[in-house]
Amino acid sequence: MSLVVNFLLLPLYFRADKLEKEQLQKKNEMKPWVERIKKAFKGDERVMMLQAYYKENNYRSTDVLKESISLFLQIPFFIAAYSFLSNLNILHGSTLGPIKDLGLPDGLISFGSVSINLLPILMTAINIISGFVYSEKKTIKDNLKLIIIALVFLVLLYGSPAGLVFYWTLNNVFSLMKNIVVSLWHPSSSRKKTGKQPKGAMSFPVIILSCAVLTVLTGFFIPSDIIVANPTEMINTYIEAPYNPSLYLVSSTLTAIGTFMIWIPLFIYLTKETLGKIMTYVLPAFTSMGIANYILFNKSFGTISRKLIFELPLFYLNEEIIPNALWDMVIIAASVVLVWKLRKYFRPVLVIFLITITCLSFKNMYSINKDIKEHGPIRTNSAEDVVVPMSTTGKNIVVIMMDRMMGPYIPYLFNERPDVAAQFDGFTYYPNTISFGKRTNMAAPAVFGGYEYTPAMMNARPDETLLDKHNEALRVLPTIFADDGWEVSVGDPSLANYAWFDDTTIYDDNENIHAFQMAGTFNYRSEFLTDAGAELELRLNRNLFCYGIMKIMPSIIQPRFYTDGSYTCMNLTFGDYIDDTFIGLGELHRQYGILEDYVSQYMVLESLSDIVDVTDEPENTFFMFSNESTHEVCMLEEPSYMPAIVIDNTEFDAAHEDRFTVDGVQMIMDTHYHNYLHYECNMAACIALGNWFDYLRENDLYDNTRIIIVADHGRELGQFEQLLVADPQFDAESINPLLMVKDFGSTGFVTSYDFMTNADTPYIALNGVIDDPVNPFTGNPMIPDDKTGDMIIYVSDELALATNGETQFNDPGSYWLTVRNNIYDDENWALYPGVPG
C-alpha cells in the first residue's frame, strides 16, 4: 500500500518540490533588498515599501505557504492512513518478523516491565535523515522545521499500532530514496512556453465540468435512485434515534465532491504540464461512459438489501460483457474526438448532462422526503413495551405468520429432529395448501383478512388503493377480537403501510389493540448485533458513493469493485452473510460472517417466552405477529442450527444426505445454495417455536391455546418434482406455504391432505370463539370458502410496492393461474384468461 500510494502521489510531490524550490529561490533573490528596506525604513513606511517591493516582484504574503506545500500534501493522507490502519481488523493478531501483533504497538525493546516501541523511533530517524538529504543547506538551524515535524509524528504515532507505524516508516524510506535520487539527478527544465495554446492543450473548463457531472452522478443521483426505491427500508432502525435516510446523501455527495471536485482538479493543477492534457480527454470520456453504463446498460441483479448487498451473487455473462465493452469503447472514442475537434460544443453537452441529473436527483430527494413524511415519524419501542398477556383459565389464540416458511419442508425437518416433532404435539399439518401470490404484498392480505383480500378480490374493489386494502386486511382479526372484549396484542404487522420497518400506526385508532415492534427490539441479547447499527451507518455513509462508482464502471469491473458487498472495504469483507466467491464456484456448505437481519428476526423467536405475561384471570387473549427469520435466510451451523461467524457444514451434510428422503420422496438440495439456507432457517424456526411451546406447557397455557402457524408464500427452488407443474410451466413450491393448526386440547400430530389456502386462517382463528363474525370494514360475514371452484393465483416477480395510488394488481409480465382441489395433479392447473376485476 505504501508503494502504491507513493507512486500515485509522486507527480504531486515532484510538483510540490518544484514549487518549494521556486519559492525558496525567489525568497533568496529578494532577501538582500528586503533586508535593506527593513534597515532603512521603520513603521508604516517600512510596511508600504515592502508591499510595493513584493508587488513589483509578483510576490504575495500567501506565497510563504508554498514553502510547506509538501507538508500540507501529507496531512490528508496521514489522516486517511491513520484512520484506516488504526481500525483495520485484519491487522489484529497478524505477525511480521519480531513484531508479534501488527494491531498493537511493537514493544520491541524491553527493560523488565518497561517496553519501548522501536518502530516509531526508527521512523523518526529516517524522516530526519530524509529531510537533511532533501535540504540544500546542512545546518541544524535551516532544518529545524523538518526536525520538529519529525518529532511531532513521533509523538503522534508512538503508541499507534505497529502496522500503521510500519506503513509510515516505509513512506519515509520511500521519501529518503526519492530525495537521494533527486539530489543526484537534476532534470533540466529549459522548456519554453509558447503563447498560443495548441488544439491538444489542457482545457480546465472541460475538466471541471466533467468532474462536476461525475460528482452529481455518483454522489447524488445514483445513491438517491437507490433510496427512492424504498425510503423506509433504508432507515437504520438499529440505532436509538432513526432519521430520514436522505441525510445519507450528504455523506455520499461530500465524498464525491472531495474525490472529483477537490482531489482530481488539485492533482491536475499541480501536474498540469503532463497530466492536464491527458485528463482533458480521459475525464469527459469516462463521464460519457459512466452515464451510458448507468442509463443504458444498468443490469438489475435482483433484490438489494439496505446494506447495499444483492441477494444473489453479482455477475455478468460473456454475452453481456462483450457488447457493453464494445459500446464503452465507441463512447470513449466519440468523446475523445468531440473534445479534440469540437471542444467548444462538448462543453454545452456536459452542462446539459449536469443540469439533467441534478434535476433528477432533486426529484428523487423530493420523493424520498414525501414518502417519509407520509409514513410519519418512525416509532420505536423498548423490550419492556413488548408484553403479551396469556391466560391459564381463559382462551388464547395465537396466529404466527412466518414469512416464506416452506410448507413441503415439515416432513423432512421432523424426520431429522424427532425431538422437535414431539414439541408440535397437537398440530395438524396441511401440505396441500396454496397461497394466492408469491410475494408478501400480494399474498399476506388473505392470510390476515381472508378471502376478501386475495389479489383477485382486491382487484374487484378498484375504487380503493392496494395500500388501503392491505392495511385493512391487517386490522380485520385484531379489530374483531378487540370489539368482542379480548385482550389483543399485535407484533410486527407485515408490510403495514407498505413500510419495510414495522409500522404499528395503523392500529392507533383502536385503543384496545396493543401493537408493538418486535424485530430489532431484542438485538441486545445477541453477541452478533451489538454493533449492527454502527456498521449499517458505516455502510450507508461510505458505500452509497461506492455503489455509485460501481454502477458507472464497465460491466467486467463491477463485480470486482463490488467485492461481495464490501465495495473494497476490508473491515466489511466478512460483515455480512455470504462470500460470493465460494457460491460462484458452486459452494453450498460454507459461509463467512453474519446476516444481521436474520439474527434480529430470530431473536424475536428466542424471546417469546420472556414477553408472555401469564395471568390466572379468566380472560381471553389474541396474539398475532409476523416473523421473517424464514425469509432473511442465511447458513446456520449444523446440527445446532445457530448462527456463527465461520461455518463449514461440508462433513455434516455429506454424512446426513439421507435426511432429505422421506417416504421415498427426495428433496433436491444440491442445485442451489439457497436450498440449504432455507432448510436450515426453517429448522431453526421450528426449534425456537418448539421451545416456546414447551414454555406454554410448563405454564399451563398450551392446552387452552389455539395456535396457527401460517406462511404468506413459499419460494420457487425446484426442490420437489411433484410441485413442478408442466402445463403451464410453474414451480408450485413458490405458492405452497406452511399451514399448521393446533386446536384447544388437541393431541397427537396429524397430516391432512385436505385442500386448504392460507386465506382460511381468519376463519380457523375465529371458529367457535366468536359468534357470527363479520368483517368490520366490509360488513361481510367471515365464512370459509368451500374451495370447490378454481382458486385464482396472481403470479408476479415485481418487487416494488404499490405506493403511488395503484388500485389493482396488474404488473408488467405478470399472469394469473387457477388451481383446484389438489396441487399435486397437473390436470388441476390452468392459465386464467385476462385479469380478474
Side-chain angles (χ1 to χ4, degrees), residues 144-433:
L144 184 60
K145 179 183 72 172
L146 297 173
I147 295 172
I148 292 174
I149 292 172
L151 293 176
V152 168
F153 274 95
L154 173 63
V155 173
L156 289 174
L157 296 177
Y158 184 78
S160 297
L164 170 61
V165 182
F166 184 60
Y167 165 79
W168 208 254
T169 302
L170 292 176
N171 279 358
N172 291 340
V173 171
F174 185 93
S175 178
L176 176 60
M177 295 297 102
K178 180 198 71 174
N179 290 341
I180 290 173
V181 171
V182 170
S183 66
L184 297 175
W185 174 63
H186 299 278
S188 173
S189 57
S190 58
R191 189 185 305 170
K192 293 183 179 181
K193 296 182 180 179
T194 61
K196 184 179 178 181
Q197 188 184 48
K199 182 180 287 187
M202 182 183 77
S203 173
F204 215 66
V206 170
I207 289 172
I208 291 298
L209 279 172
S210 300
C211 287
V213 173
L214 289 170
T215 296
V216 177
L217 184 64
T218 60
F220 196 8
F221 178 51
I222 297 177
S224 68
D225 254 4
I226 275 287
I227 297 176
V228 78
N230 204 319
T232 56
E233 186 186 12
M234 302 301 290
I235 297 171
N236 187 356
T237 52
Y238 290 138
I239 58 179
E240 290 185 6
Y243 53 84
N244 190 319
S246 63
L247 292 177
Y248 293 119
L249 297 175
V250 176
S251 295
S252 61
T253 303
L254 288 176
T255 306
I257 290 172
T259 303
F260 294 113
M261 295 302 295
I262 296 178
W263 280 109
I264 289 180
L266 177 63
F267 199 101
I268 293 171
Y269 175 76
L270 291 176
T271 60
K272 55 188 176 183
E273 294 181 1
T274 53
L275 191 63
K277 297 176 184 178
I278 299 172
M279 297 306 288
T280 298
Y281 300 96
V282 170
L283 281 172
F286 184 73
T287 302
S288 303
M289 180 193 70
I291 292 173
N293 284 338
Y294 185 66
I295 296 175
L296 301 179
F297 311 113
N298 187 7
K299 179 180 177 179
S300 173
F301 295 99
T303 306
I304 187 171
S305 73
R306 61 181 174 178
K307 297 173 77 173
L308 306 180
I309 298 174
F310 291 102
E311 183 178 17
L312 298 176
L314 189 153
F315 68 93
Y316 281 91
L317 302 174
N318 287 334
E319 52 264 34
E320 296 171 320
I321 292 175
I322 295 173
N324 176 236
L326 292 174
W327 273 111
D328 281 345
M329 287 189 285
V330 169
I331 292 167
I332 290 170
S335 300
V336 170
V337 170
L338 284 173
V339 174
W340 177 265
K341 297 290 185 181
L342 303 169
R343 185 175 300 179
K344 66 178 181 178
Y345 299 110
F346 195 76
R347 294 179 193 174
V349 172
L350 290 172
V351 171
I352 292 171
F353 280 156
L354 181 61
I355 294 173
T356 301
I357 62 176
T358 301
C359 291
L360 291 172
S361 300
F362 278 108
K363 179 179 178 290
N364 285 344
M365 178 78 86
Y366 171 79
S367 299
I368 293 167
N369 290 315
K370 181 172 178 273
D371 188 277
I372 295 297
K373 186 177 180 180
E374 287 176 352
H375 282 97
I378 303 162
R379 181 181 299 175
T380 58
N381 53 250
S382 65
E384 290 73 21
D385 299 321
V386 184
V387 179
V388 178
M390 294 185 72
S391 172
T392 59
T393 55
K395 291 182 178 178
N396 308 298
I397 294 180
V398 179
V399 176
I400 306 172
M401 203 288 276
M402 297 297 298
D403 198 325
R404 202 202 278 170
M405 194 163 186
M406 311 293 285
Y409 281 14
I410 293 300
Y412 301 88
L413 298 172
F414 287 179
N415 175 58
E416 179 182 346
R417 291 291 298 268
D419 57 320
V420 176
Q423 294 174 311
F424 282 73
D425 179 64
F427 274 88
T428 298
Y429 163 55
Y430 296 95
N432 189 22
T433 299

Side-chain angles (χ1 to χ4, degrees), residues 28 70 95 97 150 273 325 477 545 572 646 780 785:
N28 290 334
S70 294
T95 61
E273 294 181 1
L477 285 176
F545 168 71
L572 296 177
V646 179
N780 297 322
D785 191 293

Side-chain angles (χ1 to χ4, degrees), residues 65-110:
L65 297 176
K66 291 182 180 179
E67 297 179 21
S68 302
I69 194 168
S70 294
L71 175 61
F72 294 148
L73 274 177
Q74 290 185 58
I75 290 174
F77 293 97
F78 171 76
I79 293 172
Y82 189 90
S83 175
F84 174 63
L85 293 171
S86 294
N87 300 291
L88 187 60
N89 295 334
I90 201 171
L91 288 182
H92 295 287
S94 298
T95 61
L96 180 66
I99 303 173
K100 297 179 180 179
D101 191 338
L102 288 171
L104 298 173
D106 63 85
L108 288 175
I109 301 175
S110 297

Side-chain angles (χ1 to χ4, degrees), residues 400-404 491-492 519 600-605 625-631 685:
I400 306 172
M401 203 288 276
M402 297 297 298
D403 198 325
R404 202 202 278 170
D492 296 345
S600 181
Q601 294 286 340
Y602 178 75
M603 291 311 299
V604 173
L605 300 182
F625 73 94
S626 302
N627 186 265
E628 296 186 12
S629 62
T630 46
H631 185 281

